Amino acid sequence: GRMGGAIEAGSDPLKRLGTAEQLEEAASPGMSVGAYYETWIADKEPPLARRAQARDYRKHIEGYVLPRLGHVPIATLKARDILGLRSELLHRGLSLKYVKNILGGSLKAMVRDAREIDELLAHNPFVGVRWGRTPVPGPEPFGADERQRIIAWFRDRLFRFDGEYRRDGDRVRPHPPYYAYVHMLFWTGMRPSEASALRWRDVDLDAGVAQVSRSRHLWEESAPKTAQASRTIELLPETVRVLRGIAPAKEGREAHVFTNVRGLPIEPNSLLRHWYVCLRELGVRQRGLYATKDTYISTALTAGVNTSWLEAQTGVRYETMRRHYGKWLRAEGADQLQKIRDLAPELDPKKLPKSEVRETSRDSECERGDLNPHGFYPTGS
């Protein structure tokens, strides 16, 4: 029950017991959306929920849902209430994608628990709430020259160290872990959150592989984004060489592979200040760290790698690749079309025997738009 969940989560079970009693007292047809939210959000603590997820729940529901629907009895919540709030949020200038995250993500999760766990609703108010197709930004890979210059920038850049040298004043020097981190992102297809959580025990440099088993976001480590994201990735020889340059002694196997100038694990959001400085100085169009994964996948597809291998390497399903990286898959399609052409020489006039290549005179050319041109097909008359 709730107490057991609280103990597993490392929380005070007595505090959780109080919310359960409040829920039983308030569990009536008149219990409001706001009252239920107070008990519902108490369960959204690590490890039962990611810290980032709990943050989004609070931001979405407290900031946008409760001001409009907080007083509504949750048992009477209707699709029309949700549609009305959707219209209001869109008129406030919020994007359709963000409104969908608020209502179709956070509010829907709370309503689901109210129905399935606490049995406060006998109906699903989201039935009938339909969404138009939300435009999803396409991949934004870097070009080969841009990738090379970005990696070199992090290799040669001097970073300020104001912690360990505080007694002697600030000092600057290269920071190889930043360089290795960016190189790893570009040449393995790892997500930034996955690389940030990587520990040396997960890396076998002799075998040239690394195990992805955790994700780091908002200073918290948890399971990777999806079940498929837990995987073993293969490393290029150059990536192995770069990692050997920052590898610790054997007793450091529990340490994080990539650390910041303070010796702490790299937090993806914190690295962005250096990342955007890099792009500005190089004159490269601004894109987020995740574009490194776009670059790896598009490069691999252009190179014609086996898509099953690429699925296992990146943790991205083939269906997702087709949807987001379709234009880089055309090279694969061209290979398949060439196989068909090889079996049908009539599709390539250059391969036809000379006796089969007929020159047509100007008088016998087909007229544009004529479905049955004279001299080409018998008419039967």
Side-chain angles (χ1 to χ4, degrees), residues 255-325:
H256 284 83
V257 175
F258 305 110
T259 55
N260 60 23
V261 294
R262 297 179 182 273
L264 302 173
I266 291 177
E267 185 65 30
N269 285 345
S270 297
L271 186 74
L272 288 178
R273 63 191 182 98
H274 300 306
W275 176 259
Y276 289 126
V277 168
C278 167
L279 299 188
R280 282 196 300 272
E281 291 189 0
L282 296 178
V284 174
R285 183 168 58 84
Q286 297 285 301
R287 276 158 281 182
L289 272 176
Y290 207 91
T292 57
K293 189 177 182 73
D294 291 339
T295 306
Y296 181 80
I297 293 177
S298 61
T299 300
L301 291 174
T302 302
V305 303
N306 180 279
T307 51
S308 297
W309 176 86
L310 191 58
E311 274 190 288
Q313 177 80 356
T314 62
V316 178
R317 293 186 180 278
Y318 180 71
E319 294 79 6
T320 304
M321 287 186 199
R322 285 194 64 84
R323 187 166 63 251
H324 294 289
Y325 303 94

Side-chain angles (χ1 to χ4, degrees), residues 206-217:
D206 293 330
V209 296
Q211 180 65 40
V212 176
S213 58
R214 287 173 305 282
S215 176
R216 184 178 181 85
H217 183 57

Side-chain angles (χ1 to χ4, degrees), residues 66-182:
L66 296 186
R68 168 71 182 263
L69 300 179
H71 67 284
V72 175
I74 194 166
T76 67
L77 193 63
K78 299 286 193 302
R80 185 55 62 190
D81 297 318
I82 298 169
L83 292 172
L85 177 56
R86 181 177 72 178
S87 178
E88 178 182 313
L89 295 178
L90 289 173
H91 277 93
R92 287 171 56 181
L94 276 64
S95 69
L96 179 61
K97 183 177 184 297
Y98 190 50
V99 173
K100 188 174 181 179
N101 289 342
I102 295 169
L103 303 180
S106 299
L107 178 59
K108 191 171 185 178
M110 187 178 79
V111 169
R112 179 201 61 214
D113 289 353
R115 291 178 59 241
E116 298 179 2
I117 298 176
D118 298 306
E119 301 179 350
L120 296 179
L121 288 89
H123 65 288
N124 182 1
F126 278 89
V127 172
V129 177
R130 297 180 178 85
W131 298 87
R133 293 193 63 181
T134 306
V136 178
E140 296 186 291
F142 293 98
D145 177 67
E146 292 175 327
R147 175 182 58 213
Q148 183 177 355
R149 291 192 293 134
I150 291 169
I151 293 175
W153 188 94
F154 277 93
R155 180 194 63 208
D156 303 332
R157 181 73 170 185
L158 301 180
F159 296 93
R160 185 177 302 280
F161 288 71
D162 58 0
E164 60 180 303
Y165 296 118
R166 186 173 297 279
R167 288 175 301 176
D168 303 321
D170 295 343
R171 295 188 181 181
V172 294
R173 64 176 181 179
H175 189 55
Y178 282 164
Y179 158 55
Y181 181 77
V182 173

